[in-house]
Amino acid sequence: MSHNPIEDIRQSISGELERLSERIRSSLTTANHMLCQIVAANLRTKGKMIRPITVILCARMLGGVNDRVIDSAAAVELLHNASLIHDDVVDASPRRRGAPTVNATWDNHIAVLVGDYYVSTSMQLAIGTGNIPIIETICDLGRRLSLGELDQIYNARYHTLTEDAYFQIIDYKTASLFKACARMAASACSVSDERSAALVRFAELLGLVFQIRDDIFDYFDDATVGKPTGNDLREDKITLPLLHVLLDTSLPGHDAMNALARKEQLTDAEIETLCAYARDNGGIDYAYSVMHDMRSQAVEALALFPDSQTRSQLIALFDYIIERRF
């Protein structure tokens, strides 16, 4: 493996990824000229495809990549993209992955409809597999993604500051997507034994770590991340690094910082004060220790499988998620 594990992995499954891209493109094709324009622009700025890669690697662990696996990977990626398009509307985001968002280029009305089109196409792909567990998984995923966002809004509004509440949200918001990847791969390969359970557990940990790493970005000013520092706090979201220090009553300035964190509208200076409080009191270190602990559990979950290139790639993917810079 070279210094960029994600590129190595993409290289080794390039045939499957080509089939996947073609499947996504053909499933979104329509006679509506405007929609075709929007879809083409959206597909040009596709991200790292971590979720479909997870589906493909899990399927390789369980016997191989068939058409149902490709359709499952496409369904997950489209539902994920639908949630991003809708998120951009809610957050009034002008850019994503360095390109203008659908809502910025067109308007909110069109962006919501495009997101809905992606959701429906995702469902259609799942139904096309003729596999009821795959259809159930994608429907359940849609519910969980919505609930995760609603829980997050509720907790922000009522200042629910517990680690349990935080992990519940990121389980629904992010880990549910990765768990769905492993479940659908297992269903597509007709596997439902301890191997599928082990991969679902691995994927759950991968998803949790993905979100924790994403949350850490918010505490540092870095142009490569593509979002301003303190964005979560602007939206009243208190993530693990700050949450950890706010729950430690022995820290100096604890009461003042807790009161500040519960303020309705924070200024940029107040946001920086809270970010610095998390950084200076071990909040970032704590989040990293949680991720490394989860990595150990993930490697343990894969111990059930014999050593193979694919197993090594799943672990390399996990390490990439922890160490990624954007």
Side-chain angles (χ1 to χ4, degrees):
M1 290 254 159
S2 76
H3 61 285
N4 191 343
I6 199 80
E7 278 318 307
D8 292 342
I9 292 167
R10 291 175 70 91
Q11 205 56 47
S12 77
I13 57 170
S14 58
E16 288 97 327
L17 289 176
E18 269 171 43
R19 282 167 66 196
L20 172 70
S21 294
E22 184 44 50
R23 194 74 190 92
I24 289 173
R25 205 172 16 255
S26 63
S27 70
L28 291 169
T29 299
T30 165
N32 183 296
H33 180 65
M34 180 175 68
L35 186 54
C36 284
Q37 247 184 295
I38 296 168
V39 166
N42 195 254
L43 292 181
R44 270 197 303 276
T45 60
K46 61 175 180 268
K48 296 181 200 69
M49 309 280 278
I50 302 264
R51 291 152 198 85
I53 285 171
T54 303
V55 177
I56 290 165
L57 290 180
C58 286
R60 279 189 162 196
M61 292 286 274
L62 298 171
V65 178
N66 55 36
D67 287 343
R68 282 198 305 267
V69 172
I70 297 295
D71 283 353
S72 297
V76 165
E77 185 64 3
L78 286 179
L79 191 56
H80 171 55
N81 274 290
S83 72
L84 298 182
I85 293 167
H86 285 157
D87 282 352
D88 289 339
V89 171
V90 172
D91 299 337
S93 302
R95 299 185 82 75
R96 178 176 289 278
R97 298 169 183 153
T101 53
V102 180
N103 49 295
T105 307
W106 302 83
D107 60 33
N108 285 347
H109 183 188
I110 289 171
V112 169
L113 292 171
V114 172
D116 291 348
Y117 180 70
Y118 273 57
V119 171
S120 307
T121 308
S122 167
M123 299 294 173
Q124 206 169 22
L125 280 161
I127 289 164
T129 65
N131 182 299
I132 295 294
I134 287 175
I135 299 163
E136 282 176 342
T137 300
I138 206 83
C139 292
D140 180 58
L141 174 58
R143 284 166 53 97
R144 282 174 190 272
L145 292 175
S146 304
L147 279 169
E149 287 297 330
L150 287 165
D151 283 348
Q152 188 165 55
I153 291 165
Y154 178 87
N155 286 358
R157 205 160 278 182
Y158 296 98
H159 302 294
T160 311
L161 300 183
T162 68
E163 271 199 25
D164 281 352
Y166 169 79
F167 280 110
Q168 175 70 63
I169 285 168
I170 72 169
D171 179 50
Y172 272 40
K173 225 181 80 150
T174 309
S176 62
L177 259 163
F178 287 87
K179 281 191 278 189
C181 291
R183 279 204 186 99
M184 290 166 82
S187 299
C189 294
S190 306
V191 173
S192 60
D193 53 27
E194 70 279 6
R195 290 174 300 158
S196 58
L199 284 174
V200 169
R201 176 62 179 149
F202 174 87
E204 176 182 20
L205 292 159
L206 183 66
L208 293 172
V209 162
F210 188 96
Q211 188 58 54
I212 294 168
R213 182 67 189 98
D214 214 48
D215 291 342
I216 291 171
F217 286 131
D218 213 45
Y219 293 83
F220 299 94
D221 194 9
D222 186 350
T224 57
V225 177
K227 62 176 186 176
T229 315
N231 223 30
D232 290 331
L233 280 169
R234 260 179 210 91
E235 296 167 17
D236 287 329
K237 298 172 191 166
I238 293 176
T239 55
L240 192 60
L242 180 58
L243 183 60
H244 175 68
V245 296
L246 291 178
L247 293 173
D248 185 349
T249 51
S250 69
L251 287 175
H254 170 267
D255 293 351
M257 288 297 166
N258 261 272
L260 183 58
R262 290 168 189 273
K263 247 187 83 173
E264 283 310 310
Q265 283 286 305
L266 293 164
T267 65
D268 286 352
E270 287 168 335
I271 286 170
E272 180 41 44
T273 299
L274 286 166
C275 287
Y277 186 66
R279 290 194 302 266
D280 298 344
N281 290 287
I284 308 294
D285 296 337
Y286 174 72
Y288 269 103
S289 73
V290 169
M291 290 196 293
H292 286 296
D293 179 50
M294 286 180 171
R295 182 199 185 274
S296 302
Q297 293 176 51
V299 171
E300 204 176 303
L302 294 184
L304 186 68
F305 295 91
D307 194 16
S308 67
Q309 184 196 25
T310 309
R311 193 177 80 165
S312 300
Q313 286 175 331
L314 282 170
I315 296 167
L317 180 64
F318 208 102
D319 290 335
Y320 167 78
I321 297 300
I322 294 176
E323 290 155 18
R324 70 198 165 105
R325 292 281 162 258
F326 55 90

